[in-house]
Amino acid sequence: MLSSINKNLTRTPTRASILSSLLNSCIARSATDPGKQVHAQLILSGLSRNPFSATKLITLYSASHSTSNARAVFDGIPNRDRNVFVYNAMIRAYAWHGPHEHAISLFQTMVENGLEPDNFTYPFALKACSALSALKDGKGIHHERAVMSCWDSDPFVGAALVDMYSKCGSVDSARDAFDRVTDRDVVVWNSMIAAYAHNGLPTEAFEILREMSTRGFRPTVATLVTTIATAADAAMLPQGREIHGHGVRMGFVSQDKVNTALVDMYAKSGRLGVARTVFERLKERRNVSWNAIITGYAMHGNAEEALNLFDRMRSERFEPDHITYVGVLAACSRGGFTNPTNNISEVRWSWNLALK
C-alpha cells in the first residue's frame, strides 16, 4: 500500500488531492491500516493539521472505534483553525463510541469558541445525552441553543430531540419537540411513534400512525416493526392485524424484519397457526425469529412443538442463545417432561454452557 501511495504522489494533480482521494477510499472500505499510512504521508506533507484532511482522518478513526486516535488528530489542529466540520466529526465519534460525556463537553467548547452548531451537530450531541439519560444537558442544548437558533424546527434536529426526550422518559417534551417541527419527514413521525411505544403508551402510538397515514406519509419498515411490536407487547391484536393488513397492501409482505415482528405478535397472542405460517415464509431466519416461535409454542402449552422447533433450529446450524433456552426450559416445565429422554438434561447442560 505504501509503495502504491508513493508512486501515486509523483503524478498530477496535486499531492493534497491525491492523499484526499486515497483517504476517501480508506474511509469507504473502513481500511484503518492503509488509512494510517495515508495519515503518515499527510504528516510528512504538513497537511495533517489542515481542517479538511483532519475531518476525514477523524471520520476514519471513528469508523474503527479508535476515538483516541481521532482525538489526537483533533487536538493537533490549532484552535483557531477548527471549524464546525471538525467539531462535528469529533462529537459524532464520541456520540457513537463514547465516552458520551465528551461529546457533550465538546459541544459546549465549540459554542464557547464562537462556532454555531448546525443541524448535524445537534443530533450528535443529543444522541450522547440519550445514551447518558442526561435530561438536564439535553434540555440545555435544546432551549439554550437549538430554539434560539431556530434549528429545533429542522426535521433532523427535531427527530433527535424527540428521541432524546423519549429515552429520558419525558414524553410530553418529546411531543412538544415533535409539534415544533414545521416540515416533518417520515423519520420524525417514526421517532414520535417510537417515543410513545417505548414509554408504554400504545394507544397514542397508533394515533400518530393513523395521523401519519392520513397526511400521506408512507410507512417504512421501521414504522411497521415498531407498531407491530407495540401491539404485541400491549396484547392489542386487532390493531396489530390492522397494521399487518396495511403492510401487505403497501408491499411489505416480503420484508423479513416486518415478518419477524408479526411472528412475535401472533405467537404472543396465541395465534400460533398464523405465526407459524409467517415464520415459514421468512427468507432468512435469525435467532430472534426462532426465539419468537419457540417461546410462543412454550407459552401456550404446546411443549412438544416447541422442542421440535428447538431441534430443528440446531439442525439448521443456528446457535441458541439464553432467550432460546428460557423458552425451551419453559416448554419442558409446562409440558411436564421429567424424563431425560425428552432432552431436558441436554437442554439444561446447554443452558449452563451458554452462561459460562
Side-chain angles (χ1 to χ4, degrees):
M1 177 73 180
L2 187 57
S3 60
S4 174
I5 291 173
N6 288 328
K7 183 178 179 181
N8 285 334
L9 291 178
T10 64
R11 304 172 183 170
T12 57
T14 67
R15 184 182 185 90
S17 64
I18 293 172
L19 288 171
S20 177
S21 178
L22 288 169
L23 197 52
N24 284 337
S25 178
C26 292
I27 292 170
R29 299 176 184 178
S30 298
T32 307
D33 288 339
K36 287 180 178 179
Q37 296 180 46
V38 178
H39 187 182
Q41 290 292 328
L42 286 166
I43 293 172
L44 291 173
S45 304
L47 297 170
S48 63
R49 294 188 174 190
N50 175 280
F52 182 72
S53 300
T55 300
K56 292 186 177 184
L57 285 169
I58 292 169
T59 301
L60 171 73
Y61 288 126
S62 173
S64 62
H65 298 202
S66 183
T67 51
S68 58
N69 283 338
R71 185 57 190 253
V73 173
F74 178 86
D75 288 340
I77 307 168
N79 191 48
R80 66 180 182 278
D81 293 336
R82 293 175 189 161
N83 58 26
V84 66
F85 302 106
V86 174
Y87 272 99
N88 282 354
M90 195 65 239
I91 292 170
R92 177 178 58 186
Y94 284 134
W96 281 100
H97 308 300
H100 299 105
E101 56 270 20
H102 288 8
I104 299 171
S105 64
L106 201 58
F107 175 89
Q108 294 166 344
T109 300
M110 174 184 178
V111 172
E112 289 168 1
N113 286 340
L115 289 173
E116 185 63 39
D118 62 15
N119 62 334
F120 290 96
T121 322
Y122 286 108
F124 299 146
L126 291 166
K127 179 178 176 62
C129 294
S130 298
L132 296 170
S133 296
L135 182 58
K136 182 179 178 180
D137 289 319
K139 281 185 173 180
I141 291 171
H142 180 193
H143 294 291
E144 295 172 18
R145 300 303 311 177
V147 171
M148 291 175 60
S149 59
C150 297
W151 277 119
D152 62 323
S153 62
D154 176 82
F156 198 34
V157 177
L161 284 166
V162 171
D163 182 68
M164 183 275 295
Y165 281 121
S166 167
K167 289 178 178 173
C168 290
S170 185
V171 187
D172 290 341
S173 295
R175 182 56 192 257
D176 288 342
F178 173 81
D179 289 338
R180 285 184 63 87
V181 180
T182 53
D183 188 18
R184 297 175 196 143
D185 59 15
V186 70
V187 176
V188 179
W189 287 98
N190 283 350
S191 297
M192 195 64 238
I193 291 170
Y196 280 132
H198 295 159
N199 283 278
L201 297 167
T203 301
E204 289 81 353
F206 294 134
E207 287 175 356
I208 290 290
L209 175 63
R210 292 189 190 97
E211 184 181 351
M212 174 184 174
S213 298
T214 300
R215 297 200 180 191
F217 287 90
R218 177 183 170 84
T220 64
V221 169
T223 316
L224 296 181
V225 169
T226 299
T227 49
I228 291 168
T230 301
D233 292 339
M236 299 174 74
L237 183 60
Q239 290 85 346
R241 293 178 68 178
E242 180 183 344
I243 296 165
H244 183 183
H246 188 58
V248 170
R249 290 190 296 274
M250 298 294 287
F252 289 99
V253 69
S254 63
Q255 291 287 339
D256 274 359
K257 288 183 179 180
V258 174
N259 286 330
T260 296
L262 288 169
V263 171
D264 183 60
M265 180 190 73
Y266 284 119
K268 285 179 178 176
S269 302
R271 302 299 179 92
L272 296 175
V274 181
R276 185 63 173 268
T277 298
V278 178
F279 174 81
E280 295 296 349
R281 72 171 181 233
L282 288 170
K283 292 179 292 186
E284 185 177 348
R285 298 185 186 95
R286 300 179 183 275
N287 271 33
V288 64
S289 50
W290 285 104
N291 290 346
I293 194 69
I294 289 171
T295 303
Y297 277 112
M299 283 173 56
H300 295 285
N302 196 332
E304 184 174 353
E305 193 57 33
L307 293 176
N308 287 339
L309 281 163
F310 176 64
D311 288 339
R312 178 180 161 190
M313 177 185 183
R314 292 187 298 172
S315 71
E316 293 185 16
R317 299 291 187 269
F318 287 91
E319 189 67 34
D321 57 24
H322 68 284
I323 297 174
T324 318
Y325 290 120
V326 168
V328 173
L329 289 172
C332 293
S333 175
R334 295 187 183 194
F337 296 151
T338 56
N339 192 317
T341 60
N342 287 313
N343 292 329
I344 297 178
S345 297
E346 182 183 352
V347 171
R348 285 177 175 159
W349 177 83
S350 299
W351 165 255
N352 290 332
L353 187 65
L355 292 178
K356 290 182 179 179

